[in-house]
Amino acid sequence: MEKKVLFVDLDGTLLTDSKEITPENLNAIRRATALGHAVVVTTGRPLASTAIQVEKLGLTTPGCYAITSNGALIYDAHAKETIFYQGVHRDCIREAFEEAYKFRIHPQTYSKTAALCEREDEEMQYYSASTLLPYEVVEDVTAVLEEDPIKLLFIDLRHRSHLEAFRKHMEPWAKENHIDMFFSCDMYLEFLPEGINKGSGVRFISDYLGISPENTLAAGDAENDISMLQAVHTPCVMKNADPEMFPYASYITERDNNHSGIAEIIEKFML
C-alpha cells in the first residue's frame, strides 16, 4: 500500500464549532497513521496554537508535520523543529496597522509565543480564547518584534464588509510590498508574504516526504484553503463550507465539521 497524505484544515474542518475534535475524527486519524499514512494539520493558526492541537491528536510521532500560519511556518512535530519560515517584512507593518485603525478594524501580528496588538479590545480577547494563544498589548508592535512576523491578521467580528473594503483599499500597498491578502473566515483577513499560502506548504511537505501527487488529499472550508485544494490530487470540501467553495472540490462531504466529516474522508479515501 502506498503512503498517502491528508492535509487538513482546523477551524470549520477538523474542529467542531466549539473548537473540539470528535472521537470519530480522532479515531480515524489514528487508524490512518497506524497504516503508515500521514495527516498534516494545515492551518492559518500560528505555531504556538497549532502545537496544542497536534499534541491532542497525537501527531507527534516520526514523520508528523504541521503547516502553520497559512504556510509561513512549517514544523516537524516529532523533532519539534521549524523546517521552513518566511515572514512579513517589518518595515511595512506600521502603515498597515494605521490604515486598519482608520477602518476601525483590529490589527494584530505575532511574536514566537504570542499574538501582539496595540489596543485591548473584544476582537483580541475573542481570538485568544478561540485559539488558546496568549496575547500582549504593546505600545508599538514594530518596536518589540525580534524578527519578521509570520503574518498580519485583521479582525472584525461583525462586519465582513468592513474587511472587504479594507482589502480593496490596501491593494496598491500589498502590490508594492509583495503581500497576498485573503480571508481565512468571515471575520479574519490575513496578510502573508507573496506566494506563501497553504498550497506552497503542501508542495513543500509533499516534496520533503517524497509523496507522489496522486497520493495527496486535502480538506478545507474557507478561502484560505483554495490554494491547498488546488495543490492536491483529491480536494475535499466540507458540507458546511460556503457554497462558493464547492467548485474547488472533487468530493464534498455528506457530514459537516460538527459530525466528523474528516472521518468520512479518511474512511473513503485512506482506509
Side-chain angles (χ1 to χ4, degrees), residues 28-45:
I29 287 171
R30 288 174 175 169
R31 289 169 62 197
T33 55
L35 291 173
H37 300 307
V39 177
V40 177
V41 169
T42 308
T43 179
R45 294 190 187 197

Side-chain angles (χ1 to χ4, degrees), residues 61 78 89 112 118 140 152 204 208:
T61 55
H78 174 66
H89 201 285
K112 289 182 178 180
E118 297 172 344
D140 179 358
L152 308 182
F204 180 93
Y208 194 83

Side-chain angles (χ1 to χ4, degrees), residues 100-164:
Y101 292 140
K102 293 176 185 177
F103 280 75
R104 297 183 180 180
I105 289 168
H106 165 87
Q108 67 184 57
T109 189
Y110 301 84
S111 68
K112 289 182 178 180
T113 57
L116 300 176
C117 66
E118 297 172 344
R119 301 176 183 179
E120 180 79 45
D121 55 26
E122 180 186 8
E123 284 80 7
M124 189 71 263
Q125 294 166 358
Y126 173 87
Y127 177 89
S128 179
S130 64
T131 62
L132 304 179
L133 185 70
Y135 68 93
E136 299 174 19
V137 182
V138 299
E139 185 175 345
D140 179 358
V141 295
T142 62
V144 300
L145 288 169
E146 297 178 355
E147 60 185 353
D148 292 343
I150 47 175
K151 66 177 181 179
L152 308 182
L153 180 64
F154 302 88
I155 304 176
D156 189 311
L157 296 178
R158 296 176 179 83
H159 306 287
R160 176 176 170 130
S161 60
H162 291 179
L163 292 169
E164 289 173 343

Side-chain angles (χ1 to χ4, degrees), residues 6 213-214 216-220 225-226 228-239 244-254 264-265 268-269:
L6 170 64
E214 62 268 20
T216 58
L217 306 90
D225 296 318
I226 292 174
M228 172 179 73
L229 296 168
Q230 292 175 327
V232 299
H233 182 268
T234 308
C236 304
V237 169
M238 303 300 291
K239 177 183 179 180
E244 292 180 0
M245 291 295 298
F246 294 161
Y248 296 99
S250 65
Y251 181 76
I252 299 169
T253 63
E254 297 178 6
E264 175 187 333
I265 292 169
K268 184 174 182 67
F269 296 106

Side-chain angles (χ1 to χ4, degrees), residues 3-10 14 29 33 36-43 47 50-51 53-55 57-68 73-84 201-202 204-211:
K3 179 176 182 175
K4 294 184 178 181
V5 57
L6 170 64
F7 298 92
V8 60
D9 174 54
L10 284 178
L14 177 60
I29 287 171
T33 55
H37 300 307
V39 177
V40 177
V41 169
T42 308
T43 179
L47 175 60
T50 306
Q53 297 296 342
V54 167
E55 292 285 344
L57 291 168
L59 294 177
T60 56
T61 55
C64 288
Y65 301 87
I67 297 170
T68 75
L73 189 153
I74 301 176
Y75 180 66
D76 182 328
H78 174 66
K80 300 189 184 307
E81 293 178 350
T82 296
I83 58 175
F84 176 88
V202 165
F204 180 93
I205 288 289
S206 297
D207 290 343
Y208 194 83
L209 299 179
I211 294 177

